[in-house]
Amino acid sequence: MSSLRLAAVLLLALTTCAEHHMSRYRLDKRQGGNTNIPILISNWCTETIYPAILTQGGTGPSTTGYTAQPNTNQTVYVSSDWQGRVWGRTNCSFSSNGNSGSACTTGDCGGLQACKGPGAPPATLAEFTLAGSQSQDFYDISLVDGYNLGLAIVLLPNGNQALQSLDPSTTNPSCVASLEGFAASASSYNPYANNQQFLGTSSASPLPFESKQTASTISSWCPWDLQTSPPLAPGDGVYPYPDGSITRPAFDPCISACSKYGDASYCCTGKYNGPNSCSPSYYSKAAKAVCPDAYSYAYDDQTSTFITPSGGGFQVVFCPGGRSTDIIESKGGGAIKHG
């Protein structure tokens, strides 16, 4: 694909994906609110990342992008009616004079450290619509634009008694689709040893984790044509068949089929714009297998959207480690709809 063709497709992808499914939960009339809802952003990765924040409704924080060293936290505040997303950028190099092109390997937003728009795919997204219909908060982990970093969302009660009574094992999803921190043995994985807590939960009510993935499947789940940096062909430049016999890089971001090709059937647009006409693509099926609680395509609502009463804050954790949660499959779709 020529560079001009690729740029056009990526621009289309940004346009079609930037406002995807979460816009369906907006109120017709937004409620006002002070910026008193905390969003705690935590970098549990072993490398420096560059979190970014995009406000799509309500009042967002003044910080829209910054540098996060490993094992650091930063709290930003949003309004009680905020709608927006948080994502992580990788391998960034920002110029004091601004970048004419991309500054980051993944999640770049026009070469700027302080983002003024959505990030370029692929990027794992934490999406929020606060004070949506019936005074509820809607949130999810989205892989609709692709995957670059593991991510978890932890509900913070923020002094709200109604939220303090919720079972945290039904409110805190996690997506781990890369080898960093991945617990390869499902049978022996126990993040609660020695009375430890993990993602806001304890052994009294543990998170359910998916048990089918192995280190091999996690390292190779991304369809070959959707890798952003596929390994070079060995030998005389001819790939052996199947391609899975080639070792992939440890950091292997995966762009979604919609973001790469812009096809209406992949993006749920045009005649495919509807839950009865749009089906998961080959990418969506692969993403859903490794992250069961995450959005994999635009009409994945019933198996991806977490709903709680309004008023709480959230922690967004990059590279949570362990394994992906399997809350909805294990507990049923009704378990994540608290209203």
Side-chain angles (χ1 to χ4, degrees), residues 21 49 59 108-109 119 125 128 148 161 178 204 213 248 255 260 283 298 302 306 312 316 333-334:
H21 51 272
I49 63 170
T59 304
D108 183 77
C109 54
L125 307 176
F128 303 92
N148 67 337
Q161 187 173 359
S178 46
Q213 302 302 318
R248 301 189 184 199
I255 194 168
K260 181 169 183 177
Y283 161 80
Q302 297 301 316
F306 288 74
V316 177

Side-chain angles (χ1 to χ4, degrees), residues 167-181:
D167 180 354
S169 72
T170 65
T171 63
N172 302 348
S174 179
C175 169
V176 180
S178 46
L179 286 177
E180 181 171 7

Side-chain angles (χ1 to χ4, degrees), residues 252-273:
D252 194 22
C254 189
I255 194 168
S256 69
C258 168
S259 294
K260 181 169 183 177
Y261 298 115
D263 186 89
S265 64
Y266 295 156
C267 299
C268 299
T269 56
K271 68 178 182 179
Y272 299 98
N273 185 12

Side-chain angles (χ1 to χ4, degrees), residues 147 176-184 214-220 248-250 322:
Y147 173 93
V176 180
S178 46
L179 286 177
E180 181 171 7
F182 175 70
T214 65
S216 176
T217 58
I218 285 293
S219 67
S220 61
R248 301 189 184 199

Side-chain angles (χ1 to χ4, degrees), residues 62-105:
S62 58
T63 300
T64 58
Y66 65 95
T67 301
Q69 301 294 333
N71 302 312
T72 59
N73 304 291
Q74 179 160 327
T75 301
V76 299
Y77 292 89
V78 301
S79 63
S80 58
D81 64 343
W82 182 67
Q83 182 177 43
R85 57 174 59 171
V86 180
W87 72 98
R89 296 167 290 174
T90 59
N91 302 316
C92 298
S93 179
F94 299 105
S95 169
S96 59
N97 298 322
N99 294 75
S100 58
S102 296
C104 306
T105 302

